[in-house]
Amino acid sequence: MPDNSGAPSGQSLLFLTDEQLRKGIEAMFFAYRGFTADPDRILAEHGYGRAHHRAVHFIHRAPGTTVNNLLNILGVTKQSLNRVLRTLIDDGLVESRVGAQDKRERHLFLTEKGGALEAALSEAQRGRMRTAYRAAGPEAVQGFRTVLEAMMEADMRGHYEKMKEKT
Amino acid sequence: MPDNSGAPSGQSLLFLTDEQLRKGIEAMFFAYRGFTADPDRILAEHGYGRAHHRAVHFIHRAPGTTVNNLLNILGVTKQSLNRVLRTLIDDGLVESRVGAQDKRERHLFLTEKGGALEAALSEAQRGRMRTAYRAAGPEAVQGFRTVLEAMMEADMRGHYEKMKEKT
DNA sequence: CACAATACGTCAGTGTTGTTGACATTCCAA
DNA sequence: TTGGAATGTCAACAACACTGACGTATTGTG
């Protein structure tokens, strides 16, 4: 359905030479590193890693989400996630409440302290994103988002739009 | 200081609300995972990880590069890189030659076998990149690249254009 | 020449984050 | 009610990053 053969699409370059693609691949690599650099610094001060960041991020975004829910989003094993959650709970950043209907489930919430960390991490990352967006301009941002959406796994498309609401 | 009021920049939306930025952040997260999914599968078959992929990629791109050169690009410690290089050399994917001028340096090359792995990894990743590019269209690709460049660390900008040529 | 600096490799130890395997609890349906 | 599926926890292990300390060969400099 792309059909770039019959429709030059007005613009100029969609050669897609291996060279072009290679540049895109490397840009992705370097950009992702820059993208995570600021949060990584903050996390290191607290003795945490990226796994903690991801957990805190998605709990903030969907308070009351269950462990299983988080598992599907993050794409890791429950054992791996559990270790991270345990430290966050022990440190008083996350609260785990037994489910009302289904007592097997645990619903996760950020405490005030956890919310503070989330805010710090989020602000650092938004800062870099904002700077990049401003430098690139609105049209570039639109293109950026379009390509990223096409790049992610099909079963993840839309997960960042609305997470399952099973609160 | 934002002043998105005075400079509409032609297009429409550069609101940059926290919601907009959050979507961008999550898109980056999911897209990077999709971006590395295919190579990860191939690497797992060979018992390798992403660290091996990165090494093989940059050696392919700049044959004869030195260990120190690679260190600067990858941003890891020499101990970490050395572990990876050792396995690649032992498995006959990479060849290490003593420098002609400076005998302290080791110049790295892919063997035929190493080139084959690189080609497989590269083709898998290019395939996904190509699909995303086609789906998004030329203008989107341009914007994608522009934002990524603005997002990467300043000292890495241009490294993907031309690596130091100290062959 | 003697000495410092550079480039590379290695050994030992630690931490984060992923994995499998085993297990307890809870729910649901045959 | 009983067996199985779902949910979450504990234990052990592997990959890969890190720091720190050394050893060696080579280069450059006073």
Side-chain angles (χ1 to χ4, degrees):
Chain A
M1 63 284 275
D3 189 13
N4 61 342
S5 56
S9 175
Q11 279 299 61
S12 52
L13 62 158
L14 193 53
F15 291 128
L16 294 187
T17 62
D18 284 1
E19 178 67 10
Q20 290 269 349
L21 294 168
R22 201 215 69 218
K23 283 186 183 175
I25 288 169
E26 294 187 3
M28 195 70 185
F29 168 65
F30 288 122
Y32 194 77
R33 210 164 57 182
F35 172 69
T36 54
D38 298 328
D40 282 354
R41 270 187 286 273
I42 296 175
L43 289 160
E45 295 171 8
H46 296 250
Y48 295 139
R50 275 185 209 173
H52 301 83
H53 185 183
R54 292 194 281 268
V56 165
H57 174 96
F58 284 109
I59 293 172
H60 166 78
R61 178 218 224 275
T65 190
T66 64
V67 174
N68 220 354
N69 234 319
L70 220 44
L71 245 41
N72 293 328
I73 300 286
L74 297 177
V76 296
T77 59
K78 59 183 176 177
Q79 295 88 335
S80 192
L81 174 60
N82 187 261
R83 186 181 340 99
V84 169
L85 282 180
R86 199 188 321 157
T87 70
L88 290 175
I89 292 170
D90 289 351
D91 295 353
L93 300 181
V94 168
E95 189 190 353
S96 171
R97 297 185 207 151
V98 174
Q101 292 89 359
D102 192 332
K103 290 177 194 158
R104 292 172 301 182
E105 296 182 337
R106 300 296 134 88
H107 298 272
L108 305 170
F109 301 87
L110 291 185
T111 64
E112 191 175 349
K113 197 173 160 190
L117 177 61
E118 195 283 332
L121 292 170
S122 189
E123 184 42 44
Q125 204 155 41
R126 276 201 307 270
R128 164 137 356 204
M129 186 70 82
R130 194 156 25 214
T131 303
Y133 273 14
R134 289 230 184 83
E139 299 171 37
V141 169
Q142 187 61 42
F144 170 73
R145 291 283 306 278
T146 303
V147 173
L148 284 194
E149 279 188 49
M151 204 179 305
M152 58 176 89
E153 301 276 18
D155 59 324
M156 277 304 149
R157 210 159 298 147
H159 261 200
Y160 76 105
E161 281 293 340
K162 59 176 199 295
M163 271 173 67
K164 291 179 201 163
E165 310 272 349
K166 293 190 94 175
T167 314
Chain B
M1 66 295 269
D3 189 17
N4 59 347
S5 56
S9 176
Q11 279 300 64
S12 53
L13 62 158
L14 193 53
F15 291 129
L16 294 189
T17 63
D18 284 1
E19 179 66 10
Q20 289 270 347
L21 294 167
R22 200 215 72 217
K23 282 185 184 175
I25 287 169
E26 292 186 5
M28 194 70 185
F29 168 65
F30 289 121
Y32 193 77
R33 207 165 58 185
F35 173 69
T36 54
D38 298 328
D40 282 353
R41 270 187 286 272
I42 297 175
L43 289 160
E45 294 170 10
H46 297 250
Y48 295 141
R50 276 186 208 172
H52 301 83
H53 185 183
R54 291 195 282 268
V56 165
H57 174 96
F58 284 108
I59 293 173
H60 166 78
R61 178 222 228 270
T65 190
T66 64
V67 173
N68 226 348
N69 234 320
L70 218 46
L71 246 38
N72 293 329
I73 299 286
L74 297 177
V76 295
T77 59
K78 62 179 177 179
Q79 293 91 332
S80 195
L81 175 60
N82 188 260
R83 184 181 348 100
V84 170
L85 280 181
R86 201 187 321 165
T87 70
L88 289 174
I89 292 171
D90 289 352
D91 294 355
L93 301 181
V94 168
E95 188 190 353
S96 171
R97 294 184 208 152
V98 174
Q101 293 87 358
D102 192 332
K103 290 175 193 159
R104 291 172 303 182
E105 296 181 336
R106 300 295 136 86
H107 299 272
L108 304 170
F109 300 87
L110 290 185
T111 64
E112 191 174 350
K113 196 173 162 190
L117 177 60
E118 195 283 331
L121 292 169
S122 189
E123 184 43 43
Q125 204 154 40
R126 275 201 307 269
R128 168 147 340 216
M129 185 70 80
R130 193 157 25 217
T131 302
Y133 273 13
R134 288 231 183 84
E139 299 171 37
V141 169
Q142 188 60 42
F144 170 73
R145 291 281 306 279
T146 303
V147 173
L148 284 194
E149 280 189 48
M151 204 178 307
M152 57 176 91
E153 301 276 20
D155 59 323
M156 276 303 148
R157 213 161 294 148
H159 263 198
Y160 74 107
E161 282 292 341
K162 59 177 199 295
M163 272 175 64
K164 291 177 200 164
E165 308 275 349
K166 293 188 95 176
T167 313

